[in-house]
């Protein structure tokens, strides 16, 4: 019975595949770092004053956590982008990526829930819409949520790519392998 045919890749094809994976993953992480940092800065600098009452992110614990989480995710994404050539193919990278994606998603969901109540209120619970009075503040917060959601997606794609990395095959040939294992 003949041996099954195997498709062999040339070394140059392996290098191109590995390089393209590294470049793609690096760009995904850099874009995620930029959008996550932008979301944190937008929320941290967002404030509005009306009738002597100033509203900013420090009034809401969820927005403080949102800023902290987005800063953490921005640092992580930038650091892993800078070290991507060394990190590609590491099995633990995917697990840490998953943790960071989940943290970013949780921060975005929590801030979105509070933003939803601020926008529309919940009269049954006695929570009234704050955004009727502080429209500009709420619109800027909504923009920050969009940026953070983009960071979740970008980090999610980078996480998916780290799950099945294309690592280069060993540099020795089949003949060398046969010589080592007679």
């Amino acid at each position: 019975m003949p041996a099954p045919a195997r498709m062999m890749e040339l070394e140059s094809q392996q290098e191109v595949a590995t390089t393209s994976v590294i470049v793609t993953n690096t760009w995904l992480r850099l874009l995620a770092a930029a959008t996550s940092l932008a979301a944190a800065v937008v929320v941290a600098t967002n404030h509005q004053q009306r009738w002597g009452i100033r509203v900013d992110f420090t009034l809401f614990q969820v927005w403080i956590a949102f800023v902290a989480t987005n800063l953490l995710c921005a640092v992580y994404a930038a650091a892993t982008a800078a070290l991507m050539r060394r990190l590609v193919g590491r099995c633990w990278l995917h697990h840490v990526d998953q943790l960071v994606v989940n943290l970013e998603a949780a921060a975005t969901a929590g801030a979105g829930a509070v933003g939803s109540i601020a926008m529309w209120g919940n009269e049954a619970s006695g929570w009234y819409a704050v955004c009727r009075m502080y429209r500009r503040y709420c619109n800027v917060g909504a923009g920050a949520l969009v940026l953070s959601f983009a960071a979740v997606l970008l980090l999610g794609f980078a996480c998916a790519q780290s799950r099945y990395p294309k690592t280069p095959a060993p540099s020795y040939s089949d003949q060398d392998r046969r010589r080592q294992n007679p």
Side-chain angles (χ1 to χ4, degrees):
M1 181 174 356
R6 289 190 312 167
M7 189 169 161
M8 296 183 61
E9 291 184 10
L10 300 174
E11 287 182 28
S12 60
Q13 289 173 329
Q14 291 171 354
E15 289 175 18
V16 169
T18 303
T19 303
S20 69
V21 167
I22 291 171
V23 168
T24 303
N25 213 315
T26 301
W27 275 108
L28 285 171
R29 290 168 189 278
L30 286 175
L31 289 171
T35 55
S36 190
L37 180 63
V41 169
V42 164
V43 169
T45 59
N46 186 18
H47 60 86
Q48 185 176 358
Q49 188 163 345
R50 187 168 182 186
W51 299 320
I53 299 172
R54 179 185 164 102
V55 175
D56 64 7
F57 82 101
T58 59
L59 294 176
F60 307 96
Q61 294 297 318
V62 73
W63 286 110
I64 294 171
F66 179 86
V67 169
T69 303
N70 272 285
L71 288 175
L72 173 82
C73 291
V75 168
Y76 172 79
T80 54
L83 299 171
M84 187 46 56
R85 191 168 296 281
R86 291 182 183 162
L87 295 178
V88 72
R90 302 293 174 121
C91 61
W92 57 266
L93 179 64
H94 176 67
H95 300 296
V96 179
D97 282 349
Q98 279 183 320
L99 175 67
V100 172
V101 169
N102 287 330
L103 284 173
E104 183 79 10
T108 304
V114 169
S116 168
I117 291 172
M119 183 71 77
W120 296 290
N122 186 337
E123 290 182 21
S125 301
W127 295 336
Y128 299 101
V130 176
C131 291
R132 291 182 188 145
M133 293 177 17
Y134 297 98
R135 176 64 58 196
R136 186 180 53 79
Y137 176 80
C138 290
N139 288 342
V140 170
L145 286 172
V146 169
L147 287 169
S148 186
F149 185 69
V152 169
L153 290 176
L154 291 164
L155 284 170
F157 289 135
C159 178
Q161 202 171 35
S162 69
R163 174 65 177 104
Y164 299 106
K166 292 184 179 180
T167 55
S171 60
Y172 53 90
S173 67
D174 286 331
Q175 291 177 347
D176 292 336
R177 208 175 292 130
R178 283 187 214 122
R179 281 187 217 137
Q180 290 174 355
N181 299 327

